[in-house]
Amino acid sequence: MSLRLSGSSGYLLFQRSLQLRNADIYRSSEQLSTQKRINRPSDDPEGSKLLLTYRANLMKIDQYKTNIMTAEQNLKQTETVLGSVKDVMVRAKEIALQANNSTLSDEARETLAAEVSQLSQQLLGLGNSEVNGEYLFSGYKTDTAPFEFAAGFPNPPTVNFNGDSNLKAIAVSEDLTLTVQVRGDLIFKGDGTAASVDLFEVLGNLETTLRTDVNPAANPGDPDHRDAIFGAMGDHIEDLDTGFNQVLTEMTSLGGRQNRLTSTKDFFEVQVETMKTFISDIEDKDIAEITMEFQKAQLALQATLGSAGAVMNLPSLMDFIGR
């Protein structure tokens, strides 16, 4: 009986060998198809663990790069708007310098006053700029227009601020969270110190002064006396310079933030390429090597099948006894 079992054991060994050869064929065929050394964790548990780590890092970087794009969009839009605000201040100063001339006629001054009025409207529109349906300068209250003229503007030259002082921020790397807004109240209305001005107030006062006709009969010190008007015009020019610098300072700050975004994005590009190289080193396999292993697996299978007959047809001792 034990001799018969030896024939059965040979068959079982053949089956096991055939399974292994088929597994080798399947694995080589799969690698040939995918050109990947690792197609499932069991192919290389340690390598698979590293691949999961690298791919998780790539997904995290992708999210940071998306955040950077959002931040860049907001900051570039803000920079563009502030560039236009700066242009308004430049034009207003040109008007003030032109009007600071005793030979200018009342009609010409009225024309300049009308242009300043348009500049105030333009400034209001810039202050209420939107990007993707959200107001740039409202803080967290992105669904609320931040600025509105008070009744009677420019008398008084008051513009109300309806936003808040909060600033949205976005995480753009593991250790860097960057604000993507600026304080609209501070840029447009100043912080109340001597180093800042309310831009709307400056334009409103300039318009009022331009609409004040020189009264030849006025006494020195009267608001419509020539000296008072031109003294006020000199003050407006200084305020316009302060407003210009106020906006320029914020634009410089925006430029610094944009530079940080650019350097962070460049760093991520290097990281991505490095991790892709690591993944390729672990996972990929040379096509020539895969082809050779597939051919070896085929030869091994053929050898196993070729020896099967010899193994399975060996006569047992009972066969000899029976003769």
Side-chain angles (χ1 to χ4, degrees), residues 46-289:
E46 286 300 319
S48 296
K49 185 177 179 181
L50 284 173
L51 289 176
L52 287 174
T53 299
Y54 290 140
R55 289 196 171 109
N57 287 338
L58 286 176
M59 289 179 62
K60 187 183 296 185
I61 288 175
D62 281 342
Q63 182 58 59
Y64 284 139
K65 289 171 70 175
T66 299
N67 291 352
I68 287 174
M69 287 178 61
T70 300
E72 284 180 329
Q73 182 183 27
N74 278 270
L75 294 179
K76 285 179 180 177
Q77 183 67 22
T78 301
E79 183 181 44
T80 298
V81 171
L82 293 185
S84 296
V85 171
K86 184 166 60 70
D87 292 342
V88 167
M89 295 294 104
V90 170
R91 179 53 189 155
K93 181 179 178 181
E94 290 172 351
I95 291 173
L97 289 171
Q98 184 179 347
N100 197 26
N101 183 343
S102 59
T103 64
L104 199 66
S105 68
D106 291 342
E107 291 78 8
R109 292 166 62 82
E110 181 63 30
T111 299
L112 294 177
E115 185 177 352
V116 172
S117 178
Q118 290 301 312
L119 290 176
S120 294
Q121 293 286 348
Q122 183 180 346
L123 185 64
L124 184 72
L126 292 170
N128 290 333
S129 294
E130 299 176 68
V131 58
N132 296 329
E134 296 186 344
Y135 289 101
L136 283 175
F137 302 109
S138 286
Y140 285 173
K141 299 169 69 174
T142 54
D143 59 347
T144 301
F147 300 104
E148 64 173 354
F149 286 135
F153 186 89
N155 288 308
T158 302
V159 167
N160 299 318
F161 178 69
N162 300 316
D164 62 37
S165 60
N166 297 306
L167 297 175
K168 291 194 300 183
I170 293 179
V172 296
S173 73
E174 195 75 34
D175 55 359
L176 177 60
T177 298
L178 208 64
T179 57
V180 296
Q181 288 179 300
V182 296
R183 287 278 301 274
D185 54 339
L186 296 183
I187 295 172
F188 287 86
K189 295 181 66 63
D191 59 10
T193 66
S196 70
V197 293
D198 184 324
L199 304 183
F200 295 105
E201 184 177 317
V202 172
L203 292 182
N205 288 335
L206 175 59
E207 180 184 349
T208 298
T209 300
L210 285 169
R211 293 190 189 280
T212 302
D213 295 334
V214 176
N215 181 4
N219 297 315
D222 290 345
D224 55 352
H225 188 273
R226 185 180 66 85
D227 292 343
I229 291 175
F230 289 108
M233 196 62 67
D235 292 338
H236 300 331
I237 292 171
E238 291 182 6
D239 289 342
L240 288 166
D241 282 337
T242 300
F244 177 90
N245 291 328
Q246 183 172 302
V247 176
L248 186 61
T249 297
E250 190 60 45
M251 291 182 69
T252 301
S253 174
L254 285 175
R257 273 179 272 176
Q258 288 176 310
N259 288 339
R260 294 187 73 182
L261 288 177
T262 299
S263 61
T264 301
K265 185 167 59 176
D266 290 344
F267 172 72
F268 281 147
E269 293 298 334
V270 173
Q271 275 200 318
V272 166
E273 291 305 314
T274 299
M275 276 186 276
K276 283 182 177 179
T277 299
F278 290 161
I279 289 173
S280 178
D281 289 343
I282 295 171
E283 183 181 55
D284 293 349
K285 201 162 187 178
D286 182 78
I287 186 67
E289 183 181 352

